[in-house]
Tab-separated table of all heavy atoms in Angstrom:
chain	number	residue	atom	x	y	z
N	155	GLU	N	19.867	-7.104	-6.725
N	155	GLU	CA	20.681	-7.239	-7.941
N	155	GLU	C	21.292	-5.912	-8.384
N	155	GLU	O	21.991	-5.848	-9.381
N	155	GLU	CB	19.794	-7.724	-9.091
N	155	GLU	CG	19.477	-9.180	-9.080
N	155	GLU	CD	18.757	-9.584	-10.366
N	155	GLU	OE1	17.892	-8.804	-10.826
N	155	GLU	OE2	19.086	-10.656	-10.895
N	156	GLY	N	20.921	-4.823	-7.697
N	156	GLY	CA	21.485	-3.523	-8.048
N	156	GLY	C	20.672	-2.740	-9.069
N	156	GLY	O	21.124	-1.707	-9.565
N	157	LYS	N	19.481	-3.243	-9.402
N	157	LYS	CA	18.604	-2.462	-10.288
N	157	LYS	C	17.735	-1.529	-9.462
N	157	LYS	O	17.637	-1.671	-8.247
N	157	LYS	CB	17.702	-3.407	-11.085
N	157	LYS	CG	18.440	-4.296	-12.059
N	157	LYS	CD	17.441	-5.189	-12.786
N	157	LYS	CE	18.155	-6.119	-13.760
N	157	LYS	NZ	17.258	-7.198	-14.208
N	158	TRP	N	17.070	-0.601	-10.128
N	158	TRP	CA	16.045	0.218	-9.486
N	158	TRP	C	14.686	-0.404	-9.722
N	158	TRP	O	14.448	-1.005	-10.787
N	158	TRP	CB	16.043	1.636	-10.070
N	158	TRP	CG	17.249	2.436	-9.695
N	158	TRP	CD1	18.322	2.707	-10.507
N	158	TRP	CD2	17.514	3.065	-8.445
N	158	TRP	NE1	19.243	3.472	-9.813
N	158	TRP	CE2	18.768	3.706	-8.548
N	158	TRP	CE3	16.827	3.144	-7.231
N	158	TRP	CZ2	19.337	4.428	-7.497
N	158	TRP	CZ3	17.393	3.860	-6.184
N	158	TRP	CH2	18.628	4.492	-6.320
N	159	ARG	N	13.809	-0.227	-8.758
N	159	ARG	CA	12.458	-0.803	-8.879
N	159	ARG	C	11.436	0.262	-8.490
N	159	ARG	O	11.646	1.013	-7.533
N	159	ARG	CB	12.368	-2.021	-7.957
N	159	ARG	CG	11.077	-2.777	-8.028
N	159	ARG	CD	11.190	-4.118	-7.320
N	159	ARG	NE	11.890	-5.110	-8.132
N	159	ARG	CZ	12.289	-6.301	-7.683
N	159	ARG	NH1	12.070	-6.651	-6.416
N	159	ARG	NH2	12.918	-7.149	-8.470
N	160	ILE	N	10.338	0.325	-9.238
N	160	ILE	CA	9.239	1.252	-8.904
N	160	ILE	C	7.920	0.489	-8.926
N	160	ILE	O	7.836	-0.605	-9.481
N	160	ILE	CB	9.126	2.431	-9.907
N	160	ILE	CG1	8.889	1.912	-11.328
N	160	ILE	CG2	10.345	3.332	-9.844
N	160	ILE	CD1	8.428	2.976	-12.315
N	161	THR	N	6.919	1.083	-8.315
N	161	THR	CA	5.581	0.498	-8.425
N	161	THR	C	4.602	1.590	-8.842
N	161	THR	O	4.804	2.770	-8.547
N	161	THR	CB	5.178	-0.248	-7.128
N	161	THR	OG1	3.928	-0.920	-7.335
N	161	THR	CG2	5.065	0.682	-5.937
N	162	ILE	N	3.558	1.162	-9.573
N	162	ILE	CA	2.577	2.099	-10.137
N	162	ILE	C	1.183	1.533	-9.907
N	162	ILE	O	0.917	0.370	-10.240
N	162	ILE	CB	2.815	2.298	-11.660
N	162	ILE	CG1	4.227	2.849	-11.916
N	162	ILE	CG2	1.758	3.224	-12.266
N	162	ILE	CD1	4.583	2.975	-13.386
N	163	GLY	N	0.298	2.338	-9.365
N	163	GLY	CA	-1.051	1.884	-9.048
N	163	GLY	C	-1.924	1.719	-10.281
N	163	GLY	O	-1.766	2.418	-11.287
N	164	SER	N	-2.867	0.773	-10.183
N	164	SER	CA	-3.783	0.512	-11.283
N	164	SER	C	-4.967	-0.288	-10.745
N	164	SER	O	-5.163	-0.387	-9.525
N	164	SER	CB	-3.058	-0.260	-12.395
N	164	SER	OG	-3.905	-0.414	-13.509
N	165	LYS	N	-5.738	-0.846	-11.654
N	165	LYS	CA	-6.789	-1.769	-11.247
N	165	LYS	C	-7.092	-2.728	-12.384
N	165	LYS	O	-6.822	-2.428	-13.567
N	165	LYS	CB	-8.062	-1.022	-10.846
N	165	LYS	CG	-8.782	-0.342	-11.981
N	165	LYS	CD	-10.132	0.217	-11.546
N	165	LYS	CE	-10.757	0.964	-12.709
N	165	LYS	NZ	-11.995	1.622	-12.380
N	166	LEU	N	-7.614	-3.901	-12.009
N	166	LEU	CA	-8.084	-4.885	-12.979
N	166	LEU	C	-9.518	-5.191	-12.577
N	166	LEU	O	-9.746	-5.735	-11.503
N	166	LEU	CB	-7.241	-6.161	-12.912
N	166	LEU	CG	-5.901	-6.137	-13.632
N	166	LEU	CD1	-5.097	-7.375	-13.304
N	166	LEU	CD2	-6.082	-6.000	-15.152
N	167	ASN	N	-10.470	-4.800	-13.412
N	167	ASN	CA	-11.869	-4.794	-12.998
N	167	ASN	C	-11.966	-4.031	-11.686
N	167	ASN	O	-11.594	-2.882	-11.634
N	167	ASN	CB	-12.429	-6.209	-12.919
N	167	ASN	CG	-12.402	-6.858	-14.298
N	167	ASN	OD1	-12.769	-6.226	-15.286
N	167	ASN	ND2	-11.944	-8.089	-14.361
N	168	LYS	N	-12.403	-4.718	-10.598
N	168	LYS	CA	-12.525	-3.976	-9.336
N	168	LYS	C	-11.383	-4.248	-8.379
N	168	LYS	O	-11.427	-3.848	-7.213
N	168	LYS	CB	-13.858	-4.327	-8.669
N	168	LYS	CG	-15.039	-3.669	-9.355
N	168	LYS	CD	-16.317	-4.013	-8.650
N	168	LYS	CE	-17.502	-3.369	-9.362
N	168	LYS	NZ	-18.768	-3.970	-8.949
N	169	THR	N	-10.380	-4.958	-8.859
N	169	THR	CA	-9.253	-5.273	-7.981
N	169	THR	C	-8.188	-4.193	-8.062
N	169	THR	O	-7.671	-3.909	-9.146
N	169	THR	CB	-8.650	-6.644	-8.373
N	169	THR	OG1	-9.660	-7.641	-8.209
N	169	THR	CG2	-7.450	-7.005	-7.505
N	170	GLY	N	-7.873	-3.581	-6.940
N	170	GLY	CA	-6.785	-2.601	-6.885
N	170	GLY	C	-5.462	-3.328	-6.960
N	170	GLY	O	-5.277	-4.350	-6.291
N	171	ILE	N	-4.561	-2.855	-7.818
N	171	ILE	CA	-3.278	-3.542	-7.977
N	171	ILE	C	-2.136	-2.529	-8.027
N	171	ILE	O	-2.348	-1.330	-8.255
N	171	ILE	CB	-3.226	-4.400	-9.272
N	171	ILE	CG1	-3.300	-3.503	-10.524
N	171	ILE	CG2	-4.327	-5.440	-9.288
N	171	ILE	CD1	-2.988	-4.246	-11.813
N	172	SER	N	-0.929	-3.037	-7.804
N	172	SER	CA	0.257	-2.206	-7.962
N	172	SER	C	1.277	-2.943	-8.820
N	172	SER	O	1.793	-4.001	-8.449
N	172	SER	CB	0.821	-1.843	-6.589
N	172	SER	OG	1.571	-0.662	-6.690
N	173	LEU	N	1.514	-2.390	-10.025
N	173	LEU	CA	2.441	-2.983	-10.995
N	173	LEU	C	3.876	-2.688	-10.587
N	173	LEU	O	4.140	-1.673	-9.940
N	173	LEU	CB	2.186	-2.390	-12.381
N	173	LEU	CG	0.766	-2.539	-12.934
N	173	LEU	CD1	0.470	-1.454	-13.958
N	173	LEU	CD2	0.595	-3.923	-13.537
N	174	VAL	N	4.793	-3.571	-10.993
N	174	VAL	CA	6.200	-3.383	-10.613
N	174	VAL	C	7.087	-3.397	-11.864
N	174	VAL	O	6.902	-4.231	-12.758
N	174	VAL	CB	6.670	-4.490	-9.639
N	174	VAL	CG1	8.087	-4.215	-9.155
N	174	VAL	CG2	5.724	-4.580	-8.445
N	175	TYR	N	8.034	-2.463	-11.899
N	175	TYR	CA	8.993	-2.369	-13.003
N	175	TYR	C	10.407	-2.240	-12.459
N	175	TYR	O	10.623	-1.539	-11.464
N	175	TYR	CB	8.713	-1.124	-13.851
N	175	TYR	CG	7.411	-1.175	-14.597
N	175	TYR	CD1	6.225	-0.762	-13.994
N	175	TYR	CD2	7.367	-1.639	-15.909
N	175	TYR	CE1	5.019	-0.803	-14.685
N	175	TYR	CE2	6.170	-1.684	-16.614
N	175	TYR	CZ	4.996	-1.271	-15.993
N	175	TYR	OH	3.820	-1.321	-16.681
N	176	ASP	N	11.349	-2.893	-13.154
N	176	ASP	CA	12.768	-2.708	-12.842
N	176	ASP	C	13.416	-1.871	-13.941
N	176	ASP	O	13.011	-1.947	-15.109
N	176	ASP	CB	13.477	-4.064	-12.757
N	176	ASP	CG	13.156	-4.793	-11.453
N	176	ASP	OD1	12.471	-4.198	-10.595
N	176	ASP	OD2	13.604	-5.943	-11.309
N	177	THR	N	14.411	-1.093	-13.560
N	177	THR	CA	15.130	-0.281	-14.548
N	177	THR	C	16.563	-0.069	-14.071
N	177	THR	O	16.858	-0.155	-12.868
N	177	THR	CB	14.442	1.079	-14.782
N	177	THR	OG1	15.179	1.807	-15.780
N	177	THR	CG2	14.381	1.920	-13.512
N	178	ILE	N	17.414	0.248	-15.025
N	178	ILE	CA	18.795	0.584	-14.669
N	178	ILE	C	19.013	2.077	-14.853
N	178	ILE	O	19.652	2.729	-14.044
N	178	ILE	CB	19.781	-0.250	-15.532
N	178	ILE	CG1	19.674	-1.714	-15.096
N	178	ILE	CG2	21.221	0.259	-15.375
N	178	ILE	CD1	20.359	-2.690	-16.022
N	179	ASP	N	18.397	2.635	-15.903
N	179	ASP	CA	18.693	4.027	-16.272
N	179	ASP	C	17.458	4.941	-16.219
N	179	ASP	O	17.543	6.093	-16.612
N	179	ASP	CB	19.283	4.061	-17.687
N	179	ASP	CG	18.366	3.379	-18.695
N	179	ASP	OD1	17.207	3.020	-18.322
N	179	ASP	OD2	18.777	3.199	-19.854
N	180	PHE	N	16.337	4.439	-15.781
N	180	PHE	CA	15.071	5.185	-15.712
N	180	PHE	C	14.493	5.514	-17.092
N	180	PHE	O	13.503	6.209	-17.207
N	180	PHE	CB	15.209	6.457	-14.852
N	180	PHE	CG	15.357	6.138	-13.388
N	180	PHE	CD1	16.615	5.904	-12.840
N	180	PHE	CD2	14.243	6.023	-12.569
N	180	PHE	CE1	16.756	5.569	-11.500
N	180	PHE	CE2	14.372	5.695	-11.222
N	180	PHE	CZ	15.638	5.478	-10.689
N	181	LYS	N	15.158	4.989	-18.137
N	181	LYS	CA	14.663	5.252	-19.496
N	181	LYS	C	13.977	4.015	-20.076
N	181	LYS	O	12.964	4.129	-20.753
N	181	LYS	CB	15.833	5.666	-20.396
N	181	LYS	CG	16.425	7.011	-19.956
N	181	LYS	CD	17.738	7.328	-20.651
N	181	LYS	CE	18.301	8.631	-20.084
N	181	LYS	NZ	19.740	8.780	-20.400
N	182	THR	N	14.565	2.863	-19.817
N	182	THR	CA	13.927	1.626	-20.268
N	182	THR	C	13.612	0.760	-19.048
N	182	THR	O	14.364	0.756	-18.071
N	182	THR	CB	14.839	0.829	-21.233
N	182	THR	OG1	16.067	0.575	-20.542
N	182	THR	CG2	15.111	1.614	-22.491
N	183	TYR	N	12.495	0.063	-19.154
N	183	TYR	CA	11.968	-0.657	-17.991
N	183	TYR	C	11.592	-2.075	-18.368
N	183	TYR	O	11.232	-2.355	-19.514
N	183	TYR	CB	10.718	0.053	-17.455
N	183	TYR	CG	11.017	1.416	-16.874
N	183	TYR	CD1	11.237	2.510	-17.707
N	183	TYR	CD2	11.081	1.612	-15.503
N	183	TYR	CE1	11.525	3.770	-17.190
N	183	TYR	CE2	11.354	2.862	-14.971
N	183	TYR	CZ	11.577	3.940	-15.823
N	183	TYR	OH	11.864	5.171	-15.304
N	184	GLU	N	11.658	-2.927	-17.356
N	184	GLU	CA	11.249	-4.310	-17.539
N	184	GLU	C	10.123	-4.559	-16.539
N	184	GLU	O	10.286	-4.353	-15.338
N	184	GLU	CB	12.481	-5.168	-17.213
N	184	GLU	CG	12.304	-6.641	-17.249
N	184	GLU	CD	13.491	-7.323	-16.526
N	184	GLU	OE1	14.531	-6.652	-16.267
N	184	GLU	OE2	13.330	-8.508	-16.188
N	185	LYS	N	8.955	-4.979	-17.062
N	185	LYS	CA	7.811	-5.220	-16.177
N	185	LYS	C	7.934	-6.597	-15.535
N	185	LYS	O	8.210	-7.583	-16.210
N	185	LYS	CB	6.516	-5.133	-16.980
N	185	LYS	CG	5.258	-5.235	-16.142
N	185	LYS	CD	4.022	-5.033	-17.022
N	185	LYS	CE	2.776	-5.573	-16.356
N	185	LYS	NZ	2.854	-6.976	-15.947
N	186	LEU	N	7.748	-6.652	-14.231
N	186	LEU	CA	7.762	-7.944	-13.560
N	186	LEU	C	6.433	-8.668	-13.817
N	186	LEU	O	5.391	-8.033	-13.988
N	186	LEU	CB	7.985	-7.771	-12.048
N	186	LEU	CG	9.453	-7.691	-11.612
N	186	LEU	CD1	10.180	-6.511	-12.227
N	186	LEU	CD2	9.566	-7.653	-10.093
N	187	ASP	N	6.480	-9.991	-13.831
N	187	ASP	CA	5.249	-10.768	-14.060
N	187	ASP	C	4.337	-10.698	-12.850
N	187	ASP	O	3.129	-10.848	-12.959
N	187	ASP	CB	5.599	-12.241	-14.319
N	187	ASP	CG	6.372	-12.393	-15.607
N	187	ASP	OD1	6.192	-11.529	-16.498
N	187	ASP	OD2	7.174	-13.349	-15.718
N	188	THR	N	4.953	-10.480	-11.692
N	188	THR	CA	4.182	-10.436	-10.448
N	188	THR	C	3.791	-8.990	-10.132
N	188	THR	O	4.379	-8.049	-10.639
N	188	THR	CB	5.035	-10.994	-9.296
N	188	THR	OG1	6.336	-10.415	-9.407
N	188	THR	CG2	5.129	-12.497	-9.369
N	189	LEU	N	2.786	-8.862	-9.260
N	189	LEU	CA	2.377	-7.544	-8.771
N	189	LEU	C	2.981	-7.343	-7.389
N	189	LEU	O	3.193	-8.312	-6.663
N	189	LEU	CB	0.853	-7.490	-8.654
N	189	LEU	CG	0.065	-7.670	-9.948
N	189	LEU	CD1	-1.415	-7.910	-9.632
N	189	LEU	CD2	0.237	-6.445	-10.838
N	190	LEU	N	3.220	-6.069	-7.027
N	190	LEU	CA	3.635	-5.826	-5.641
N	190	LEU	C	2.534	-6.373	-4.731
N	190	LEU	O	2.783	-7.107	-3.783
N	190	LEU	CB	3.841	-4.331	-5.383
N	190	LEU	CG	4.289	-3.988	-3.960
N	190	LEU	CD1	5.711	-4.464	-3.685
N	190	LEU	CD2	4.162	-2.488	-3.685
N	191	HIS	N	1.279	-6.008	-5.091
N	191	HIS	CA	0.165	-6.488	-4.291
N	191	HIS	C	-1.145	-6.256	-5.034
N	191	HIS	O	-1.205	-5.427	-5.958
N	191	HIS	CB	0.142	-5.777	-2.944
N	191	HIS	CG	-0.697	-6.490	-1.937
N	191	HIS	ND1	-0.557	-7.810	-1.643
N	191	HIS	CD2	-1.701	-6.047	-1.148
N	191	HIS	CE1	-1.429	-8.165	-0.727
N	191	HIS	NE2	-2.146	-7.109	-0.405
N	192	ARG	N	-2.191	-6.963	-4.627
N	192	ARG	CA	-3.525	-6.787	-5.197
N	192	ARG	C	-4.554	-7.049	-4.115
N	192	ARG	O	-4.359	-7.930	-3.274
N	192	ARG	CB	-3.748	-7.753	-6.370
N	192	ARG	CG	-3.745	-9.224	-5.964
N	192	ARG	CD	-3.609	-10.157	-7.157
N	192	ARG	NE	-4.727	-10.065	-8.056
N	192	ARG	CZ	-5.893	-10.693	-7.906
N	192	ARG	NH1	-6.091	-11.490	-6.861
N	192	ARG	NH2	-6.850	-10.563	-8.782
N	193	VAL	N	-5.623	-6.265	-4.100
N	193	VAL	CA	-6.711	-6.522	-3.141
N	193	VAL	C	-8.045	-6.372	-3.871
N	193	VAL	O	-8.368	-5.284	-4.362
N	193	VAL	CB	-6.663	-5.567	-1.920
N	193	VAL	CG1	-7.783	-5.917	-0.928
N	193	VAL	CG2	-5.310	-5.635	-1.213
N	194	PRO	N	-8.804	-7.467	-3.957
N	194	PRO	CA	-10.090	-7.432	-4.666
N	194	PRO	C	-11.035	-6.381	-4.082
N	194	PRO	O	-10.975	-6.087	-2.877
N	194	PRO	CB	-10.654	-8.838	-4.457
N	194	PRO	CG	-9.464	-9.696	-4.161
N	194	PRO	CD	-8.488	-8.808	-3.450
Side-chain angles (χ1 to χ4, degrees):
E155 282 188 320
K157 294 180 181 166
W158 290 103
R159 184 168 282 170
I160 59 166
T161 186
I162 301 176
S164 185
K165 69 172 176 184
L166 280 171
N167 297 316
K168 285 181 181 164
T169 299
I171 65 169
S172 204
L173 303 155
V174 185
Y175 293 86
D176 284 355
T177 181
I178 291 168
D179 55 8
F180 289 88
K181 294 169 184 163
T182 57
Y183 293 77
E184 177 196 346
K185 186 176 161 305
L186 274 61
D187 295 333
T188 45
L189 298 167
L190 181 69
H191 197 52
R192 65 195 296 278
V193 182

